[in-house]
């Protein structure tokens, strides 16, 4: 991890090293938190957060599903995120908002434990390695099934759910693979440990539906739209495990990993990045980096010269420190991808 200067916590900016929490915080014990993984890219028109509103909507829905009342509106979190990027002089970053039950009660019915909110933003390159986006990765079908909708909520991006992802990821890494592919409780293909999955068969792009326990990935949504705009047929349907091995192409999508081809699954060779993967990937990377005019509406541009006072007036308590105000002051971080 590459520390930066400030983290936003409960309405204030605190030094990175001072962003501590009490050891009896509820979320630390039970995973009672919801979060997002978001990226800001340094586009030709300035820094822009990709599909920011969609991420904030999902954060609110995740919170609702786990009965967490967010003390800040999506707009307050959005403004605080912009201000955090400005103050940390980040033109591109991985952004991690987290809302969790804090200190106050260790009972499971913890309505009295406060909901603490933090936002961190820091440089983070491609999750599965820069090379993975060109060369592809090796994946292993996990012996761990994705959390079942009968016992938990796969649709929520909740902290506790990631114990499941961590088991799968650890198993695959220990076996020498780059990533895990989880099946759902019925045995159909679900997703990667931190990415959605797409399979190309007979020229059609297939991806598991919401009923297959997937997280409703924002990049999944984007790639479906881009692929359709490029003229491909995208079908959301159950995918049998063997279809992974029979696939012409397989790729993963996610904020951290972006779009990564899969070249091998278990002991089956899929092959290098295929034509469809490369075509969609090129447009997707253009969309992320603000090079595709037709997808500019997905970008939430950060006004690098904005004054924090408007945000402070609106209740986000953004503090009074000086903010960087020119591109030169702010432009020390190179794009993540
Ligand atoms: C389990 C899981 N599935 C899918 C995704 C992809 O979601 P998104 O494209 O919104 O980043 C992620 C990453 O957030 C994830 O953690």
């Amino acid at each position: 991890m590459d520390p930066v200067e400030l983290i936003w916590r409960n309405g204030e900016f605190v030094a990175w090293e001072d962003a501590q929490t009490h050891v009896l915080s509820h979320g630390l014990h039970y995973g009672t938190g919801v979060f997002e993984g978001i990226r800001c890219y340094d586009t030709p028109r300035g820094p822009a957060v990709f599909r920011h509103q969609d991420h904030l909507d999902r954060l609110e829905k995740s919170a609702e599903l786990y009965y967490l009342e967010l003390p800040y509106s999506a707009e307050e979190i959005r403004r605080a995120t912009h201000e955090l990027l400005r103050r940390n002089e980040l033109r591109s970053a991985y952004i991690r908002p987290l809302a969790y039950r804090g200190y106050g009660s260790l009972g499971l019915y913890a309505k009295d434990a406060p909901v603490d909110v933090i936002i961190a933003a820091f440089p983070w390159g491609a999750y599965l390695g820069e090379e993975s986006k060109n060369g592809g990765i090796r994946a292993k079908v996990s012996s761990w099934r994705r959390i079942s909708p009968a016992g938990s909520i796969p649709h929520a991006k909740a902290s506790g759910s990631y114990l499941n992802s961590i088991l799968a990821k650890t198993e695959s890494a220990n076996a020498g693979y780059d990533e895990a592919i989880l099946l759902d409780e019925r045995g159909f293909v679900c997703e990667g440990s931190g990415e959605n999955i797409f399979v190309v068969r007979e020229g059609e792009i297939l991806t598991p539906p919401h009923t297959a326990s997937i997280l409703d990935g924002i990049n999944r949504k984007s790639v479906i739209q881009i692929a359709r705009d490029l003229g491909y047929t995208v079908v959301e349907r159950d995918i049998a495990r063997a279809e992974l091995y029979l696939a012409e192409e397989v790729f993963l999508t996610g904020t951290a990993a972006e779009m990564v081809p899969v070249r091998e699954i278990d002991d089956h060779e899929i092959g290098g990045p295929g034509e469809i993967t490369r075509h969609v990937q090129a447009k997707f990377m253009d969309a992320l980096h603000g090079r595709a005019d037709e997808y500019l509406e997905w970008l939430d541009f950060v006004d690098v010269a904005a004054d924090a006072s408007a945000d402070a007036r609106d209740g986000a308590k953004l503090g009074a420190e000086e903010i960087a105000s020119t591109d030169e002051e702010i432009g020390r971080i190179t794009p993540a991808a």
Side-chain angles (χ1 to χ4, degrees):
M1 193 167 289
D2 200 353
V4 295
E5 200 186 335
L6 297 169
I7 283 182
W8 185 92
R9 184 180 63 189
N10 293 334
E12 283 165 1
F13 291 96
V14 297
W16 177 279
E17 55 278 7
D18 295 336
Q20 313 279 352
T21 194
H22 197 283
V23 292
L24 291 177
S25 295
H26 199 271
L28 193 57
H29 293 250
Y30 306 122
T32 41
V34 296
F35 69 95
E36 274 303 316
I38 310 172
R39 276 193 190 272
C40 175
Y41 292 91
D42 190 12
T43 80
R45 295 166 206 231
V49 182
F50 186 68
R51 301 198 76 159
H52 204 177
Q53 194 59 48
D54 293 295
H55 282 284
L56 296 172
D57 288 347
R58 189 170 66 185
L59 184 72
E60 286 190 317
K61 285 181 196 153
S62 298
E64 185 194 338
L65 288 167
Y66 279 104
Y67 307 98
L68 295 175
E69 281 178 29
L70 292 181
Y72 302 95
S73 68
E75 182 56 20
E76 283 170 332
I77 295 173
R78 179 179 160 270
R79 283 164 177 254
T81 303
H82 282 211
E83 185 58 22
L84 182 69
L85 292 165
R86 276 193 287 272
R87 291 187 183 215
N88 282 324
E89 303 186 351
L90 292 163
R91 292 187 75 91
S92 71
Y94 180 82
I95 302 164
R96 170 57 62 87
L98 165 72
Y100 63 99
R101 281 220 187 271
Y103 172 80
S105 164
L106 279 183
L108 296 185
Y109 183 58
K111 284 196 84 72
D112 295 337
V115 176
D116 290 330
V117 182
I118 65 101
I119 310 166
F122 49 90
W124 196 11
Y127 173 59
L128 295 172
E130 201 55 43
E131 177 44 34
S132 69
K133 289 188 277 180
N134 296 323
I137 60 155
R138 297 173 62 245
K140 177 186 185 337
V141 173
S142 179
S143 68
W144 298 100
R145 295 282 168 96
R146 168 80 168 152
I147 48 169
S148 155
S152 187
I153 309 178
H155 310 86
K157 198 165 169 65
S159 304
S161 302
Y162 279 81
L163 284 175
N164 174 242
S165 305
I166 286 166
L167 283 174
K169 178 80 184 182
T170 304
E171 179 188 68
S172 70
N174 286 347
Y177 290 85
D178 303 304
E179 186 52 293
I181 297 171
L182 288 88
L183 307 180
D184 70 10
E185 60 164 358
R186 303 165 304 160
F188 289 105
V189 174
C190 177
E191 60 183 13
S193 71
E195 307 87 16
N196 292 110
I197 191 164
F198 291 80
V199 170
V200 177
R201 293 207 67 203
E202 298 178 346
E204 283 188 348
I205 303 174
L206 315 175
T207 194
H210 291 270
T211 44
S213 299
I214 62 165
L215 183 76
D216 184 8
I218 286 156
N219 296 280
R220 172 185 183 274
K221 230 183 316 222
S222 308
V223 160
I224 289 173
Q225 184 172 334
I226 288 170
R228 286 184 176 147
D229 290 349
L230 291 173
Y232 295 106
T233 301
V234 182
V235 182
E236 295 178 65
R237 71 147 169 90
D238 283 329
I239 298 172
R241 175 174 180 164
E243 292 188 276
L244 291 174
Y245 307 144
L246 295 170
E248 290 134 34
E249 304 177 27
V250 178
F251 60 86
L252 304 173
T253 62
T255 298
E258 297 175 335
M259 185 172 158
V260 174
V262 180
R263 65 170 199 275
E264 196 183 315
I265 302 176
D266 297 337
D267 47 5
H268 295 269
E269 185 78 23
I270 312 295
E275 199 180 312
I276 294 176
T277 303
R278 277 189 278 118
H279 191 194
V280 176
Q281 187 188 40
K283 186 55 98 176
F284 176 63
M285 294 310 286
D286 283 347
L288 294 181
H289 290 273
R291 299 186 297 254
D293 287 350
E294 63 273 43
Y295 303 118
L296 280 182
E297 65 185 26
W298 287 342
L299 301 182
D300 179 21
F301 287 96
V302 180
D303 182 354
V304 290
D307 184 341
S309 57
D311 293 319
R313 270 200 310 276
D314 290 347
K317 286 202 285 168
L318 294 175
E321 294 125 75
E322 285 297 305
I323 60 166
S325 59
T326 67
D327 280 3
E328 291 70 40
E329 280 176 299
I330 290 165
R332 70 180 167 87
I333 302 297
T334 52

